[in-house]
Amino acid sequence: MKTVFYWCPFISKVATVRSVIKSSEAIKKFSKNEFEPIIVNVAGEWNSYKNKENTLGLKIIDLTNSKILDGKNWTGFWRSRLIYTYIIIIAFIPLIRFLKKYKPDFFILHLISSLPLIANFLFRFKIKIILRISGMPKFNLFRTILWKYTIANINLVTTPTIGTYNDLKEISYLKNKIRVLFDPIITPSEIQRKKLEKINDNIFINSEFEKFYISIGRFTKQKNFSFLIDCFSEIIKVRNDAKLLIVGMGELKDEMQNKINQNKVNGNIKLMPFKNNVYNYLNASSGFILSSLWEDPGFVLVEAAYLNIPILSSDCKNGPKEILNNGDNGILFKSNDKKSFIKNFKIFSNLNEKEKKIKILKTKKYIKKFTVFSHYKQIVNLLREIR
């Protein structure tokens, strides 16, 4: 049996974390002992999963004794940079020892990938390495130099969308190594079960939000919720019955709530804390709105499509434009453009049932490639390709 190690030290539960869990679970469930998935717990980030959520019995091996990432809040630009630097310092030597001891057959790298890339460049481990890109990377000076000298010593680079693949394929040192690998987002049985769970929040019990639009994500700059609140506040002036629910958590929560208060739309726009199950909220909504500045691919967008929910999205690169086929499968507005949002929201909210059904069916057909089983078939083929 070949071992497949996953490297993904994280400071908050971003979509990449779910991708690692579902990918490793898929290999565990479907590979029939051809491959064994193992998650590297760098500094306590996987402790909660190891102790509570690991229903399939995945192996999780500690790299260090540190618990600095165990449930701690390290979000924010400077805090995140500080902890990234700290992780690189405390984990470098343990990683060298770890790789010498366990000798993984395959090593799949997600977040803070610079550390294993440098270690492999210096020590030339005989490991098949896949660098998993989540989102279009910013080629600052450090990353440009890092990739130029370390990519030669890895086997494949994967992207989550065709758009990112096209953006990167012309880089000379990536040309023969780059592949598309769609994220494992959809587990049909899980979604079908969770979408029917009862919602117990007061705004639903009291019928404040019988009809509403929904947006879901971390309260960060990327999700652009402040822009969404401003736009929806303008819509409420014309349609005072319009309701928006924003579900998530993050460092910009207070800023968002202040904007809601300033715009005096507290009765129409509500912030809801992070939920382990968002499928029942999506399923109850009139439509999903994605206001992000960038997504690749956009996990909740895919989940909304699977639940047959109409979608209004920014045309940010690379996932939304690709999944919505430039607006044929949903409604797109120009990213961060208030006039475009308001214009296209009007179109979105006035779609008749036939128009909704056509767009939903087109989107649902496209997102089949994001099922857990489809991902499993793709990733196993890549592992077989390089072994």
Side-chain angles (χ1 to χ4, degrees), residues 30-280:
F30 299 120
S31 75
K32 297 180 180 179
N33 296 324
E34 182 180 359
F35 301 101
E36 180 183 22
I38 299 169
I39 295 175
V40 182
N41 191 26
V42 177
E45 69 276 12
W46 291 99
N47 284 357
S48 64
Y49 184 77
K50 179 170 61 174
N51 297 333
K52 298 176 184 176
E53 305 168 44
N54 190 358
T55 57
L56 287 182
L58 293 173
K59 280 189 179 180
I60 300 175
I61 301 178
D62 295 336
L63 180 70
T64 71
N65 294 323
S66 174
K67 296 181 181 179
I68 196 166
L69 296 182
D70 184 5
K72 305 293 192 306
N73 179 17
W74 290 103
T75 55
F77 182 83
W78 291 111
R79 287 170 63 85
S80 62
R81 269 52 185 179
L82 178 64
I83 197 63
Y84 291 156
T85 303
Y86 178 77
I87 292 300
I88 289 171
I89 292 170
I90 68 162
F92 185 73
I93 299 301
L95 177 60
I96 303 301
R97 293 171 179 164
F98 182 92
L99 294 176
K100 287 180 178 179
K101 177 181 179 180
Y102 289 100
K103 298 180 174 62
D105 294 299
F106 303 94
F107 206 13
I108 301 178
L109 312 180
H110 287 78
L111 305 176
I112 317 183
S113 57
S114 56
L115 179 54
L117 286 176
I118 292 170
N120 186 58
F121 173 75
L122 294 175
F123 291 88
R124 300 293 199 276
F125 294 106
K126 294 181 179 179
I127 301 169
K128 306 294 185 180
I129 295 180
I130 297 176
L131 175 60
R132 187 88 172 95
I133 296 173
S134 298
M136 183 64 186
K138 294 180 181 178
F139 282 94
N140 53 32
L141 181 61
F142 173 74
R143 177 172 277 128
T144 300
I145 294 172
L146 176 70
W147 279 29
K148 185 175 181 180
Y149 289 99
T150 62
I151 292 295
N153 298 304
I154 72 171
N155 299 84
L156 292 177
V157 177
T158 69
T159 68
T161 57
I162 296 169
T164 301
Y165 169 86
N166 289 332
D167 288 341
L168 295 176
K169 69 179 181 179
E170 299 305 322
I171 299 176
S172 59
Y173 52 81
L174 292 178
K175 203 165 208 178
N176 298 320
K177 296 177 182 286
I178 195 163
R179 305 284 189 278
V180 177
L181 175 60
F182 296 108
D183 283 298
I185 300 174
I186 302 168
T187 306
S189 58
E190 176 191 12
I191 296 177
Q192 292 300 326
R193 172 174 53 84
K194 288 187 173 182
K195 77 175 186 179
L196 299 175
E197 288 183 3
K198 186 177 179 181
I199 300 175
N200 294 316
D201 295 298
N202 288 335
I203 62 171
F204 295 97
I205 294 172
N206 299 332
S207 301
E208 295 177 52
F209 271 52
E210 288 185 7
K211 291 186 68 176
F212 65 96
Y213 296 95
I214 190 168
S215 194
I216 301 169
R218 291 172 296 122
F219 298 162
T220 61
K221 177 183 176 182
Q222 176 195 353
K223 302 303 180 181
N224 209 20
F225 287 138
S226 181
F227 163 83
L228 177 58
I229 292 168
D230 277 338
C231 290
F232 215 82
S233 297
E234 291 298 315
I235 288 164
I236 291 165
K237 292 176 182 178
V238 179
R239 289 184 47 185
N240 59 14
D241 63 334
K243 307 280 188 178
L244 173 66
L245 184 66
I246 305 177
V247 181
M249 61 184 295
E251 63 266 24
L252 298 183
K253 179 183 177 181
D254 290 343
E255 178 183 313
M256 290 166 55
Q257 187 60 59
N258 288 338
K259 186 172 285 289
I260 291 171
N261 297 341
Q262 290 166 7
N263 291 348
K264 298 180 180 179
V265 289
N266 306 68
N268 297 76
I269 303 176
K270 299 287 186 183
L271 302 183
M272 187 76 70
F274 169 79
K275 304 289 180 181
N276 287 320
N277 177 18
V278 295
Y279 303 123
N280 49 357

Side-chain angles (χ1 to χ4, degrees), residues 282 286-290 300-306 308-314 320 323-324 327 329-332 344 348 351 356 359-360 363-364 367:
L282 276 167
S286 301
F288 173 70
I289 301 175
L290 188 143
V300 186
L301 188 150
V302 172
E303 290 164 336
Y306 181 80
N308 302 319
I309 306 302
I311 297 168
L312 170 66
S313 174
S314 69
I323 293 167
L324 297 184
N329 300 350
I331 303 295
L332 291 174
N344 283 284
F348 178 62
L351 289 173
K356 288 180 186 177
K359 289 184 178 295
I360 286 168
T363 316
K364 200 160 186 176
I367 63 164

